Amino acid sequence: MDTTTLIWIIVGVLVVAVIVVVVLLLTARGRREKRAAAQHERAEKLRAEAREAEMAAREREAQVAQARADSVSAAAAAEQAKARAAQASIDAEKRAAAVDEHAADAEKHRAEQAERLRKADEVDPYVTDERTDASGTQRSGTDASAPVSASDDRRSYRESAQDPQERVVERTEDRTQDRSGTDRV
């Protein structure tokens, strides 16, 4: 072996060593970058978990606040319901009084109508008796002994009741029956 061969061997070993060092340096930089990217991803995951935990805590706080508001709202609604019930009771009493007034007015108008019909019968030369005219045709509304409707029967029964509270209860039952067509208590 001569020196030139030895020099070529040394140069070859040095070139291989330089290539290995360059490769190691390049791969070390890539590993460092990969390690930094992995650490960054882990940090992002930790941040995302922290944000989710914060959102969950806020949601729980909002649920607690909503529950408190709901309980306060329910209490207020209960108070409103009591007030509406009291108002409805007052309205029912007012309407019951109005119904009595309207019934009295209706009775007055019926009496006036009956009086007008009686006067018309007195003036009409073709009326032979109270129920038929001269042609024998049945006249409606001239039979004063028959009640006009079932509500008249109930009204006469109501008026015979002694206690005013019984009258209110009976009127309420009558209205319930009139609306539905069936008897509800």
Side-chain angles (χ1 to χ4, degrees):
M1 269 219 256
D2 3 333
T3 45
T4 37
T5 318
L6 187 63
I7 292 178
W8 282 110
I9 292 177
I10 292 175
V11 169
V13 169
L14 285 176
V15 168
V16 169
V18 168
I19 291 174
V20 168
V21 169
V22 168
V23 168
L24 285 177
L25 287 176
L26 290 176
T27 58
R29 184 181 296 167
R31 279 184 296 196
R32 250 185 280 135
E33 289 175 2
K34 284 182 183 178
R35 193 176 323 129
Q39 288 176 342
H40 179 71
E41 285 181 29
R42 192 167 24 148
E44 286 299 318
K45 283 183 182 179
L46 290 174
R47 286 184 189 106
E49 289 173 2
R51 281 191 294 267
E52 289 176 9
E54 181 183 0
M55 291 299 267
R58 285 183 181 177
E59 285 179 12
R60 279 188 236 119
E61 290 172 353
Q63 288 172 349
V64 167
Q66 184 66 39
R68 284 185 186 139
D70 288 345
S71 67
V72 168
S73 175
E79 289 298 319
Q80 285 180 344
K82 287 179 186 176
R84 281 193 300 267
Q87 185 63 38
S89 174
I90 292 168
D91 289 345
E93 290 175 11
K94 287 180 182 177
R95 288 184 180 144
V99 165
D100 288 342
E101 289 176 19
H102 290 302
D105 286 345
E107 189 64 37
K108 178 182 170 188
H109 288 291
R110 276 192 218 106
E112 289 173 0
Q113 178 193 17
E115 181 63 25
R116 280 190 217 117
L117 286 175
R118 187 188 60 74
K119 286 180 181 178
D121 287 344
E122 287 176 5
V123 173
D124 190 357
Y126 296 111
V127 174
T128 57
D129 68 0
E130 292 183 17
R131 305 185 111 217
T132 60
D133 61 14
S135 66
T137 307
Q138 180 74 26
R139 292 177 48 104
S140 62
T142 58
D143 188 7
S145 65
V148 175
S149 69
S151 63
D152 289 342
D153 288 338
R154 288 192 300 267
R155 189 178 306 107
S156 64
Y157 174 73
R158 258 196 324 260
E159 290 168 355
S160 68
Q162 296 295 326
D163 186 16
Q165 187 64 30
E166 284 181 20
R167 289 186 199 152
V168 170
V169 170
E170 289 169 1
R171 273 189 241 114
T172 305
E173 289 173 357
D174 289 345
R175 275 190 246 124
T176 303
Q177 184 178 10
D178 289 342
R179 281 190 208 126
S180 65
T182 59
D183 192 15
R184 284 193 268 164
V185 178

